[in-house]
Amino acid sequence: MSETASKAPGAPATSGDANRWKALIFIALAQLMVVLDATIVNIALPSAQVDLGISDGNRQWVVTAYALAFGGLLLFGGRIADLWGRKNAFVVGLIGFALASALGGAATNQAMMFGARALQGVFGALLAPAALSLLAVMFTDAKERAKAFGIYGAIAGGGGAVGFILGGVLTEYLDWRWTFFVNIPFAIVAALGAYFVIREPEGGRNRNPLDIPGVLLSTLGLVALVYGFTRAESNGWGDSVTVGMFVASAVLLIAFVITEAKVKAPLLPLRVVTDRNRGGIYLSLGIAIIAMFGTFLFLTYYLQVVKGFSPIKTGFAFMPMIVGMMVGSTQIGTRLMTRLPARMLMGPGFLVAAVGMLFMTQMEIGSSYASVILPAMVLLGLGMGTAFMPAMSLATLGVEPRDAGVASAMVNTSQQVGGAIGTALLNTIAASATTAYIKDHIGSATSKSQQQLVALEGQVHGYTNAIWFAVGMLVLAAVIVVTLVNAGRPDTGAVAGSAEGTEDEVPVPVVAH
């Protein structure tokens, strides 16, 4: 198929850009940096807490400050990318992220650290949707798009696990500050490469004035939602502030939807999310991330606290999952995406990941890594890699170029909110199950060593209970995909940069109308 023939009428002539594959290297590098940062700091947190004198009550803000800024500003960041141009937003986001990382690495007190993390979140919210939307408008040929999104999906899925390895190495052999400083070379290389290599298609900007009410309502609503789940993890679901945050979030987000339906130039055009395929992608991705993020946390604690692994050994224990994601995304997903409808990859992918989670429900104190964790990691990686790849591509399929940034921001928003929900929800389930187990069994423990054993058994019991819930989440994600996502295989026609589409038809050509 010729590149010219593969484009819909009016699509920007981007497939002829000889630098698009070079551009992918720098886009992928930037995405890796953002995803790494989400987990690398977790490994360094205990050391940073001691050095900076951060109390146990305040340490959550190292994670929460980033999550609130990132999750709350993603839609705004996507709209800014559409307004400024994705290349400009991408480069500014990289420079800002590097400066914020330098501030975090040089932090001398907790206020400086919290501020740096919030700034990282602000620039991450500009960078992440710009990166994904650049791919959406630069790769319009179906087969090339499959390869590009295969690489991007593997990084988006596996980068978090790489963060555990890198975080362990840097913390153990250098200093926790290097978990921040390591972002700087990533950002400089990606920004320079993007500046000289990326050629963004003309005519794709959305120059309408900013929807200020939409910006305020969406930002405050998402911040309230993320903070509500974060607070629930530490203060409980019945806490008055937690409940107040959820109520406020619901009111603000409902007001946001009403506003977007009425204003002439909305922050989030409802056509982006009401399309059944994109809506199904956003919803299923968010639910799958709920399962993944919580499980990452439990596995880290299980390997370090229960099995006694060092931070580096724990990081390398995640390697089979990273390899699985790479294979699932770049080999299975890329090869089959132009031959099968997306739901035939995503649905089975989520179910394979659920089978991997089922292995983890069998974890006990004495379980061997090779017989339980290893097969679980491989299946989880293969399944999620296979599912992520078509999801990333389909999430921006058929959108108008002027909406590419905000459509990409919705992918990141569903992941960010899903991560916040997953961490809080699964931690609460695990903590409740652990408390109940210890209460039921501690009476029979007569010696201190027996009591310690019961405490460890209680922890593992809590993890496996929460992982059962994660299995259900992945099955639910598969059901949503099979029910809502009905786009045919994208082996003909343009898949990006065309007019708003109705990809609802089952026939093979997925051409926007």
Side-chain angles (χ1 to χ4, degrees):
M1 180 194 309
S2 72
E3 288 177 333
T4 305
S6 71
K7 292 179 295 208
T14 56
S15 289
D17 181 3
N19 285 328
R20 63 193 180 281
W21 291 107
K22 293 178 185 176
L24 176 62
I25 295 170
F26 301 112
I27 293 169
L29 189 64
Q31 174 65 13
L32 178 62
M33 180 187 71
V34 172
V35 177
L36 278 176
D37 197 73
T39 51
I40 196 171
V41 174
N42 290 339
I43 298 287
L45 185 53
S47 303
Q49 183 184 353
V50 173
D51 273 9
L52 300 179
I54 302 173
S55 67
D56 286 348
N58 284 339
R59 69 181 174 188
Q60 65 161 329
W61 283 102
V62 176
V63 176
T64 305
Y66 178 82
L68 290 179
F70 192 79
L73 291 170
L74 269 166
L75 283 177
F76 183 45
R79 177 66 181 84
I80 289 293
D82 288 334
L83 179 66
W84 285 359
R86 286 131 208 138
K87 176 179 174 177
N88 294 336
F90 185 71
V91 172
V92 170
L94 280 166
I95 294 169
F97 201 90
L99 292 173
S101 298
L103 188 65
T108 54
N109 54 54
Q110 62 179 18
M112 194 171 167
M113 170 61 76
F114 300 156
R117 289 291 283 161
L119 276 176
Q120 279 186 311
V122 169
F123 287 105
L126 182 63
L127 172 61
L132 183 55
S133 59
L134 275 171
L135 285 190
V137 298
M138 291 180 74
F139 290 90
T140 58
D141 178 81
K143 290 183 179 179
E144 287 195 352
R145 185 181 175 90
K147 292 176 185 176
F149 276 89
I151 295 166
Y152 187 88
I155 290 170
V162 175
F164 287 118
I165 299 174
L166 194 55
V169 170
L170 292 173
T171 303
E172 199 156 318
Y173 290 114
L174 292 172
D175 184 75
W176 65 265
R177 295 181 185 277
W178 281 97
T179 60
F180 286 89
F181 292 146
V182 74
N183 289 331
I184 298 171
F186 274 96
I188 291 172
V189 171
L192 287 173
Y195 183 79
F196 289 109
V197 170
I198 291 177
R199 298 289 180 268
E200 187 179 350
E202 294 294 328
R205 293 194 189 183
N206 184 344
R207 299 185 186 276
N208 287 319
L210 276 177
D211 168 24
I212 300 300
V215 170
L216 292 174
L217 289 169
S218 67
T219 301
L220 293 174
L222 288 170
V223 164
L225 182 64
V226 173
Y227 183 59
F229 276 105
T230 304
R231 188 176 173 88
E233 185 184 352
S234 55
N235 294 71
W237 296 93
D239 175 68
S240 58
V241 176
T242 301
V243 174
M245 284 292 119
F246 287 136
V247 172
S249 173
V251 171
L252 288 163
L253 292 177
I254 289 170
F256 171 67
V257 172
I258 294 170
T259 301
E260 298 309 274
K262 292 182 177 180
V263 298
K264 287 184 179 179
L267 173 70
L268 174 62
L270 295 183
R271 61 180 177 267
V272 171
V273 290
T274 52
D275 173 86
R276 66 182 293 167
N277 288 294
R278 283 192 291 274
I281 294 294
Y282 299 146
L283 186 58
S284 61
L285 264 186
I287 289 172
I289 292 292
I290 289 175
M292 272 192 71
F293 266 61
T295 306
F296 276 178
L297 198 64
F298 297 143
L299 273 178
T300 304
Y301 278 106
Y302 174 76
L303 293 171
Q304 287 195 33
V305 177
V306 179
K307 304 299 286 184
F309 282 25
S310 68
I312 292 180
K313 192 176 179 182
T314 301
F316 278 102
F318 279 90
M319 275 301 291
M321 182 170 69
I322 298 168
V323 173
M325 280 187 171
M326 295 294 287
V327 171
S329 190
T330 62
Q331 299 302 313
I332 301 173
T334 300
R335 292 174 187 275
L336 296 181
M337 185 180 150
T338 55
R339 301 177 186 178
L340 295 172
R343 67 179 179 275
M344 298 304 293
L345 287 173
M346 291 182 65
F350 286 140
L351 291 177
V352 168
V355 172
M357 291 278 195
L358 277 175
F359 270 90
M360 291 187 209
T361 62
Q362 307 307 306
M363 287 191 313
E364 296 175 352
I365 288 180
S367 297
S368 75
Y369 175 84
S371 63
V372 177
I373 306 300
L374 179 60
M377 290 275 198
V378 171
L379 289 171
L380 184 60
L382 279 173
M384 294 305 280
T386 302
F388 269 25
M389 188 262 157
M392 292 290 183
S393 179
L394 195 60
T396 52
L397 181 139
V399 296
E400 297 180 30
R402 60 183 178 149
D403 294 335
V406 77
S408 302
M410 277 301 299
V411 179
N412 290 284
T413 300
S414 65
Q415 290 178 304
Q416 190 66 25
V417 172
I421 293 172
T423 305
L425 193 59
L426 297 187
N427 259 357
T428 304
I429 293 169
S432 300
T434 296
T435 302
Y437 183 93
I438 292 173
K439 185 178 179 182
D440 291 343
H441 294 81
I442 199 70
S444 60
T446 54
S447 66
K448 189 174 181 179
S449 60
Q450 287 178 323
Q451 290 173 351
Q452 289 173 337
L453 180 62
V454 168
L456 282 177
E457 287 173 344
Q459 280 190 44
V460 177
H461 177 74
Y463 300 157
T464 54
N465 266 262
I467 291 170
W468 271 111
F469 186 84
V471 170
M473 289 286 96
L474 285 171
V475 172
L476 177 59
V479 170
I480 288 170
V481 164
V482 173
T483 305
L484 291 180
V485 178
N486 65 355
R489 65 180 189 265
D491 57 356
T492 63
V495 287
S498 50
E500 176 59 18
T502 56
E503 305 88 28
D504 298 358
E505 301 89 340
V506 177
V508 171
V510 182
V511 182
H513 303 303

